[in-house]
Structure formats: C-alpha cells, structure tokens
Amino acid sequence: MSIALPPARFRPRGAESWRDPYAMYAALRDHDPLHHVEDGDYWVLSRYDDVLDALRRPEVFSSRKGLTVVGGDMAAAGVDAAPPLVMLDPPEHTEFRGLLTRGFTPRRVDSVADAVRDFVRTRLDAIDAIDAIDAIDAAGDPVDIVAELMRPLPCFVVAHYLGVDEADRQRFAGWTRAIVQAGAKGHALDAHEAVADLLAYFSALVERRRADPADDTVSDLVRVLGDDPQAVIRILGFAFTMIAGGNDTTIGLLSTAAQLLTEQTGLRDRIASDPESVGPFVEEALRLASPVQGLARTLTEDLRLHGRAAPAGDRVLLLYGSANRDPRAFGPRADEVDLDRGAPQHLAFGYGPHHCLGAAAARLQGRTVLTELLARFPRFTVDAARGTFADGAYVRRYETLPFATGG
C-alpha cells in the first residue's frame, strides 16, 4: 500500500530553522517545482534547470523591482534614484557592470592575496593563544571561530577593495556589523547611525579620490563616472551593496566548509596533505553551502511551467540552495562532497548577467583560510550542534561556531 506524502510547502527560514532546510527543498523539487506561496503571493523555483533558465533570462525574470519576495526594496534601501547594480537589468546593468570590471580583475584579486594570508595568520595566532589559555582554565568559553576569524576577514577584504584607510578600519568594522545584522532581518537601514556614518565617510572618500586617486574600487568609479550627476549616489550604492553582500555570504562559505571537514575527517586529512585539492573542495563547499539560499525576481510576462501558470508581475524566489543539491543535475550523491565533480556549474554566485562580481575574492578567502587553518591545526574541529544560525530569510550562515584546535 502506498503512503501519501504530505504536500510540499515552502516556509521562509531564519535563525535556528536554517539548520536543515534540505528536506523541504527535496519535497519542493519532487512534488511542486513551481510552488505558489499563498502567504505573500509569490512563487518558488527549486530545480536546478529551472533556476538556471531564470538566471539566463533577465528580460523575463527582472531584478528591477528588487530581490526579495516583498515589494518596496528600492524605497526601503533609499536607492530609487540610482539603483545599485544588483537591481538593474540589461542594458543598464551591462553598462554599469562594465564600469566595475577593472576593480575585480585577477590582478586586483592577486594584489590582496598576501594581505589576506597575513591577516588570516594573525587571527590564527590569536586563536592559538586563546586555546592555550583555555587548556589551563577548563572553565573558559570555547573559541568562536566566526567571531575570531570568519567575520573579521571579509570585513577586512571589503575595506581593502573600497580603499578604507587603515586608521578607519575599526570604525568601518563596527558600521559593517551593525548593517549586516540589521540587513539579516530585511531592514539594513534600521542601523540608522551606522548607515549615516558610513554614507558620510564614503561621501568624503569620494571627494578625496577625485583629488588623489588610489588603487581601489572607489577611485575606479570616480574616474569612469566622471561628471555623471548621479556619480556619488551610484558609488555609495555600490559600497553599500559590497558591505551588505560581501560579509555574511563569506561567513556562510567558511563556516560550512569547517563543518564539512569536521564531519568527514578522511576528507580533512586528504585536503591537509594535498594542497591541490583545496580549490575543488572550495567549489563543493560553495555548492553545498549556497550562502545566498535564494533571491527573487519579478516576472515581466506570464510563466507556464510544470503544468502551472504564474502571471506577469508576480515575484519568483529562485532557490539556489535547493538547485545546488538537485540530484537531477548533480547525481544521487548531490548532498555529498565530491572533489572530482565537474559539470554542471553550481549557482552559489548566480549565473549570467548577475554572476557575483566578488566571486574571485570569495574563492581567494576560502582557499586561504582552509590552507592556513589546516596547516596550523590539521585536526581542528567545530561543534556545529552548539553553533547558532544568524537571522534572515535569504542568507544561511552561522552566527557562532565553537572551535577546537585538536591539540
């Protein structure tokens, strides 16, 4: 006798409910791949091929009205007059993205590699010192690797790209954390004081770069935008986007990678002894982590798919986290690490026109952290069960993650 399965149903995640969304994803893929969410009146795509097709067709799946399933993204972010890159469609998107490409060339990424490595090593020195104290004081709290390494690193990298002076890095880190925490709840501008301070800082930085250019992204934009009357607003919007999008996503990658290596000690030992395997592992960690679990688009025409119809004007949530674990694309072991996995391309950085500009920088951070971490602490572990997840309906990342060096 067959057993009736419960209907597939999408429920937005946040905090602890992020621990395991994967059974829900599988049910959606198998039983309702174009799923309608009545509470909010939007649709959900969960299969790899469908999400990939949507990313390839920005003329149908538009970013112009924002990337969440609720309206008012543009007004809430205060960017109605000059939308950031992520909220543009071609051809405007193509033109603006072209202005930014120099800042994310392999040369620019390579130029920060030594600084990233030195930063990571300094942080690992601090973790080693904390662990030594804890060995003496058994009652001491465990090291939180998110607080000690995974949160400070992307903040450092974003500051470096944007040209934040070293003397201002501590203030910048404070603004970043306040904005990211508020953004996780869907209201980045709720961090009013941090946002005001950040905008004032970058307004002044833009003026300084007009007179004294440097080798950073703000200088690149100042030069190429020239006398554009919206230049300052566009630069501020880009800086805000980098801060809001370049921090918690990297934490999601790094924390998931640490969890995977703890759960699979044979894999951890292989990667520790074979530096060439770090790159393939980062790609698998990106696929399995999918730090941005999903973003929305707005339909510009009716969508007919899997026997259902979604009307033009409705929003569609593209579930990257589900697509990247779809057995139809990645085989029956889609939920496992496979260092020899080739095609298809994962969607952790999106695809097509909106492929993440910071992908190379994120990969650099992943490779550097794992290489240095395994060199220093080849038997490290994290306690995922005691870790906590950050709030927010779109990015899955650990807020805290206890760490042990392994002796």
Side-chain angles (χ1 to χ4, degrees):
M1 182 178 75
S2 62
I3 300 175
L5 295 174
R9 183 178 179 184
F10 177 78
R11 297 178 182 271
R13 299 289 166 137
E16 181 59 24
S17 65
W18 271 128
R19 191 168 294 276
D20 186 9
Y22 305 114
M24 177 181 72
Y25 291 167
L28 290 169
R29 288 193 304 264
D30 291 345
H31 304 294
D32 198 1
L34 177 58
H35 175 72
H36 184 246
V37 181
E38 293 185 6
D39 184 12
D41 191 22
Y42 60 93
W43 302 81
V44 178
L45 285 177
S46 52
R47 289 185 182 175
Y48 179 90
D49 285 348
D50 295 336
V51 173
L52 178 62
D53 181 65
L55 293 171
R56 284 171 165 164
R57 295 199 292 158
E59 71 279 5
V60 176
F61 296 84
S62 172
S63 301
R64 192 175 300 279
K65 293 186 178 180
L67 306 179
T68 71
V69 296
V70 297
D73 291 33
M74 308 287 276
V79 293
D80 304 67
L85 181 68
V86 294
M87 294 183 187
L88 292 176
D89 291 332
E92 294 88 355
H93 173 274
T94 307
E95 179 184 0
F96 191 22
R97 186 180 176 101
L99 300 178
L100 297 168
T101 52
R102 179 189 168 187
F104 297 89
T105 60
R107 181 193 65 79
R108 177 66 64 75
V109 174
D110 289 344
S111 73
V112 77
D114 289 344
V116 169
R117 185 188 63 246
D118 291 345
F119 185 92
V120 171
R121 288 178 176 176
T122 298
R123 287 286 170 169
L124 293 179
D125 287 343
I127 289 172
D128 208 4
I130 295 171
D131 189 69
I133 294 172
D134 287 345
I136 298 171
D137 179 10
D141 292 330
V143 173
D144 176 11
I145 196 168
V146 173
E148 297 298 329
L149 173 61
M150 295 175 179
R151 183 181 299 119
L153 175 60
C155 180
F156 166 80
V157 172
V158 170
H160 182 94
Y161 267 97
L162 292 174
V164 176
D165 293 338
E166 289 192 21
D168 299 320
R169 296 283 171 87
Q170 186 170 353
R171 287 193 300 152
F172 180 80
W175 299 332
T176 294
R177 181 156 193 200
I179 292 168
V180 169
Q181 286 180 329
K185 299 176 182 179
H187 303 286
L189 294 187
D190 282 356
H192 300 295
E193 185 175 347
V195 170
D197 288 344
L198 180 78
L199 296 181
Y201 180 84
F202 276 100
S203 293
L205 180 61
V206 167
E207 292 309 311
R208 292 210 318 269
R209 292 297 183 251
R210 290 188 192 279
D212 185 19
D215 187 19
D216 57 52
T217 302
V218 170
S219 296
D220 291 343
L221 287 172
V222 166
R223 183 180 60 259
V224 298
L225 290 173
D227 295 329
D228 184 335
Q230 294 184 330
V232 173
I233 296 175
R234 298 183 82 174
I235 293 170
L236 292 177
F238 180 72
F240 194 85
T241 300
M242 281 194 69
I243 291 164
N247 283 272
D248 50 0
T249 53
T250 303
I251 297 171
L253 163 62
L254 297 176
S255 55
T256 300
Q259 177 187 348
L260 290 169
L261 293 179
T262 295
E263 294 171 346
Q264 302 176 53
T265 56
L267 177 66
R268 183 191 64 193
D269 294 343
R270 174 182 171 182
I271 295 173
S273 63
D274 177 17
E276 294 298 318
S277 64
V278 172
F281 175 69
V282 167
E283 295 307 309
E284 280 290 86
L286 281 163
R287 183 180 67 82
L288 291 170
S290 295
V292 178
Q293 290 279 294
L295 291 174
R297 301 290 193 269
T298 301
L299 290 172
T300 62
E301 61 184 53
D302 293 351
L303 174 67
R304 299 185 182 279
L305 191 66
H306 302 300
R308 306 196 72 176
D314 276 14
R315 299 214 173 196
V316 180
L317 180 63
L318 310 181
L319 275 183
Y320 307 141
S322 173
N324 278 336
R325 290 173 177 250
D326 188 351
R328 297 163 187 79
F330 297 100
R333 297 177 57 236
D335 287 325
E336 302 175 18
V337 174
D338 181 357
L339 297 185
D340 298 317
R341 192 185 305 276
Q345 179 179 330
H346 65 71
L347 304 178
F349 294 121
Y351 189 90
H354 283 285
H355 183 267
C356 177
L357 269 173
R363 288 183 167 108
L364 169 67
Q365 293 173 77
R367 292 193 305 269
T368 304
V369 166
L370 294 174
T371 298
E372 297 298 330
L373 189 59
L374 288 168
R376 182 73 66 90
F377 308 123
R379 298 183 182 277
F380 83 84
T381 59
V382 295
D383 190 345
R386 293 176 62 194
T388 61
F389 284 88
D391 204 0
Y394 299 94
V395 177
R396 181 182 183 272
R397 65 174 176 89
Y398 280 93
E399 178 71 22
T400 65
L401 190 59
F403 173 88
T405 63

